[in-house]
Amino acid sequence: MKTWPVYLLHKTAEILEKVAQKKGAVKTLVYDSKFQNIKQLFALVCETQKYSSVLQEIINSTKLLKETKLRIHLAKVLVYDLLIGHGVKCGGTWKTMMMKHRSRLQAALARIKVKRKVSRNQDLLPSSFQQTRDDVIPRYVRVNTLKTTLEDVIDYLKREGFSYQGTACRLEDLSHLSGKRFLCDLHLQDLLVFSAKTAFHNHFLYKAGHIILQDKASCLPAFLLNPQVGSHVIDACAAPGNKTSHLAAMIKNKGKLFAFDLDAKRLSTMSTLLLRAGVTCHQLANQDFLKVDPQSSEYKEVEYILLDPSCSGSGMVCLRDEVSELQDEGRLQALATFQLRCLNHTLQFPRVQRVVYSTCSIHSQENEEVVSACLQQNPAFRLVHLLPNWPERGHEPFTECLRASTAKTRTHGFFVAMLERRPPQTDEENLLVITTLPSGGEEKQDTHQSGPSDEEQENTETANKQPTNPVSKKKRRNRKKHKKQEF
């Protein structure tokens, strides 16, 4: 059996310690680590974190720290490796040490199972991690159309013994894949879906950049932004780069793609990823997006912006327990303040027409509340109704937005909103008749249009859901219903 390098175990323990000290979210810390195999590190961190309370109980009952002098987070990694993983995969003195205590540790685990009346390790997990068949997230594979086509990838996989089942008709189809059967996703045409246990990290198509391993929810922002071929686009908080490569594919490597990230290490990793994906239209900048000058001539043609800022990461399945224990209102408020600043900044670019705002958070503070505050401060923009048939919507009244979750969409938790610039109104549309209320002395503004069509009349009957500023109660006007757009 292949052993894990000692450095991987050290790095996993280091990240777990930083998470416990609230020094950052798991995803950010993992990518900042510059570890060679990011996905391997992320998996080990998440799995150890999931079983954290069980591992703590085993370590306490066996007095392992006292006898080995190990630090708690390294002890958790090693005990997970021994009891719940695939045996002792580390080598050297650590393997010798853990084998010496194996019988006692196994007995402690067995006692916990008896006490809780369960037989499987996964049944020891907190309820937030308990998964039914419908809760398992499939393996999503995005076809990189910069290097290949959907048809060619399907043909290649069929020659390798995979069984293509066509395009999914409903979400439930994604939960019943097994073995080498796979489907095309029902919402995103360049996305293939496999059973959760299908591995591609060592596959030729992955190493050659022909496919990108990316959760379906993470594919939504670029897909919904849908920039035109040859346009100028900004990816505001770009690392690790999967969304950037998706944007490049959308514009077919034509036009310009400006990608910003404040972290030089993450940007370096991203550069390697983009090179493998065949992206050539990008311009990377190790720069704080908030310090980018929207009025610079360099960005005068930018019409599309994707903003996926730092967030709590509470939608990531492996972080559910961590988020519930470690995040407080203060930290969420700080994140929301930063996210609102970023979203407001995107709307300052003079020619921007569409902005997609997304997070991998389940918290309203980082999602609907940020969008609400932004719309109040930027009346020239409105929400676009996204994917009308999507099964999970934003919280009322922001149902134009999308939410995603394991149970309802078979993805990680996610939130997506799209803001677009309102079209300029004609003088006739802006004709205002000011009337004085008989008792309150307030003024009301009504918009009158000459000869409205049936469609226009229907649109004006529905009030705009954009929040209004309490300060402006004295003067109101009816606004058009948010434009609905299907993709």
Side-chain angles (χ1 to χ4, degrees):
M1 180 179 291
K2 185 177 179 181
T3 60
W4 278 347
V6 171
Y7 180 57
L8 169 62
L9 303 176
H10 262 304
K11 187 56 65 174
T12 301
E14 178 185 312
I15 289 173
L16 289 171
E17 183 174 5
K18 288 181 178 179
V19 168
Q21 296 170 349
K22 302 184 182 181
K23 291 185 176 180
V26 167
K27 188 176 180 181
T28 300
L29 293 170
V30 168
Y31 278 101
D32 285 351
S33 71
K34 288 293 289 181
F35 190 73
Q36 185 176 8
N37 192 328
I38 291 292
K39 293 185 181 297
Q40 187 182 47
L41 176 61
F42 188 69
L44 184 56
V45 170
C46 287
E47 287 301 306
T48 305
Q49 183 68 18
K50 274 175 30 175
Y51 284 93
S52 179
S53 60
V54 177
L55 297 171
Q56 184 76 56
E57 188 173 346
I58 293 171
I59 291 168
N60 290 344
S61 67
T62 58
K63 297 182 171 59
L64 185 65
L65 298 185
K66 183 178 180 180
E67 297 194 18
T68 61
K69 307 302 181 185
L70 289 169
R71 295 173 66 89
I72 181 60
H73 297 292
L74 179 56
K76 285 184 179 181
V77 176
L78 292 172
V79 173
Y80 169 83
D81 185 17
L82 174 66
L83 300 180
I84 302 172
H86 300 286
V88 182
K89 296 177 84 174
C90 63
T93 57
W94 283 351
K95 180 173 183 177
T96 303
M97 176 195 304
M98 297 309 294
M99 294 303 290
K100 177 182 176 181
H101 296 281
R102 180 171 62 175
S103 296
R104 292 193 309 116
L105 293 168
Q106 288 175 333
L109 176 60
R111 286 193 297 271
I112 293 174
K113 287 182 178 178
V114 170
K115 180 180 177 181
R116 300 188 188 181
K117 299 179 181 180
V118 300
S119 58
R120 303 182 305 167
N121 290 332
Q122 55 263 45
D123 293 330
L124 295 171
L125 291 171
S127 59
S128 59
F129 288 106
Q130 297 291 339
Q131 290 185 325
T132 65
R133 183 174 183 178
D134 288 341
D135 286 334
V136 175
I137 298 176
R139 163 67 71 189
Y140 292 103
V141 172
R142 178 168 62 81
V143 174
N144 179 14
T145 55
L146 291 177
K147 284 196 165 185
T148 186
T149 65
L150 177 67
E151 293 74 19
D152 285 349
V153 169
I154 292 174
D155 288 343
Y156 188 98
L157 292 171
K158 286 165 67 176
R159 290 196 298 271
E160 286 194 331
F162 284 88
S163 177
Y164 179 53
Q165 306 293 303
T167 301
C169 297
R170 53 182 187 164
L171 275 172
E172 288 74 16
D173 295 340
L174 309 184
S175 301
H176 297 88
L177 292 168
S178 61
K180 288 198 166 186
R181 294 188 301 159
F182 72 104
L183 292 160
C184 266
D185 184 67
L186 66 164
H187 295 109
L188 283 70
Q189 62 181 7
D190 292 326
L191 194 66
L192 298 176
V193 193
F194 300 78
S195 68
K197 295 182 179 180
T198 309
F200 281 102
H201 291 99
N202 293 317
H203 197 280
F204 164 76
L205 291 177
Y206 172 71
K207 291 182 175 180
H210 289 201
I211 60 174
I212 308 293
L213 306 183
Q214 187 174 0
D215 184 63
K216 177 178 177 177
S218 178
C219 295
L220 287 172
F223 171 74
L224 293 170
L225 185 61
N226 193 27
Q228 295 183 3
V229 175
S231 59
H232 289 201
V233 185
I234 285 178
D235 190 351
C237 303
N242 282 339
K243 296 181 185 70
T244 312
S245 67
H246 197 179
L247 287 170
M250 299 290 291
I251 63 175
K252 301 185 185 300
N253 253 344
K254 299 177 181 178
K256 286 187 179 181
L257 176 52
F258 303 96
F260 302 94
D261 203 275
L262 187 57
D263 193 302
K265 291 181 180 179
R266 294 181 71 187
L267 210 62
S268 175
T269 302
M270 176 178 165
S271 180
T272 302
L273 183 150
L274 296 181
L275 179 64
R276 184 174 66 193
V279 177
T280 58
C281 62
H282 64 295
Q283 181 177 312
L284 299 185
N286 179 204
Q287 186 176 357
D288 181 353
F289 175 65
L290 288 172
K291 295 182 179 178
V292 175
D293 181 10
Q295 304 304 320
S296 169
S297 60
E298 190 173 12
Y299 312 117
K300 64 181 180 180
E301 302 297 327
V302 169
E303 293 183 282
Y304 304 91
I305 299 179
L306 192 157
L307 174 65
D308 188 69
S310 297
C311 70
S312 64
S314 52
M316 303 298 291
V317 169
C318 68
L319 308 184
R320 289 172 180 168
D321 196 43
E322 166 208 332
V323 168
S324 63
E325 290 182 3
L326 298 181
Q327 288 185 353
D328 53 37
E329 286 299 316
R331 181 164 186 262
L332 286 177
Q333 187 55 54
L335 284 168
T337 299
F338 167 75
Q339 292 153 356
L340 178 58
R341 287 182 63 204
C342 289
L343 187 53
N344 280 334
H345 193 63
T346 65
L347 304 185
Q348 303 309 306
F349 288 77
R351 291 198 60 185
V352 68
Q353 298 301 311
R354 287 182 181 172
V355 173
V356 162
Y357 171 72
S358 64
T359 74
C360 54
S361 170
I362 62 174
H363 299 298
S364 295
Q365 295 99 312
E366 301 178 87
N367 298 330
E368 290 88 355
E369 291 181 23
V370 169
V371 171
S372 174
C374 182
L375 288 172
Q376 290 187 53
Q377 297 170 29
N378 298 275
F381 289 82
R382 63 186 180 186
L383 284 173
V384 176
H385 192 94
L386 302 171
L387 296 178
N389 294 325
W390 186 261
E392 189 169 8
R393 312 305 305 182
H395 294 168
E396 291 284 354
F398 299 98
T399 54
E400 299 90 346
C401 308
L402 303 183
R403 276 182 170 265
S405 63
T406 308
K408 293 185 179 180
T409 61
R410 309 295 188 268
T411 67
H412 287 284
F414 217 77
F415 173 84
V416 188
M418 183 156 74
L419 286 69
E420 74 170 2
R421 189 181 297 275
R422 293 176 181 275
Q425 294 181 320
T426 63
D427 291 340
E428 186 177 63
E429 289 174 327
N430 281 326
L431 181 62
L432 301 178
V433 177
I434 300 177
T435 60
T436 302
L437 296 178
S439 58
E442 294 183 343
E443 294 179 344
K444 180 175 70 174
Q445 296 181 346
D446 295 318
T447 302
H448 293 274
Q449 298 180 354
S450 60
S453 66
D454 291 341
E455 181 180 354
E456 290 170 333
Q457 181 65 37
E458 181 182 351
N459 286 341
T460 56
E461 288 174 356
T462 304
N464 193 334
K465 294 180 182 178
Q466 178 179 323
T468 57
N469 190 331
V471 177
S472 62
K473 287 183 178 178
K474 289 186 177 181
K475 293 188 177 182
R476 299 177 184 266
R477 65 178 179 183
N478 293 329
R479 291 175 179 161
K480 290 184 180 180
K481 180 183 178 181
H482 294 305
K483 178 183 176 183
K484 292 191 176 183
Q485 178 169 340
E486 297 187 18
F487 292 88

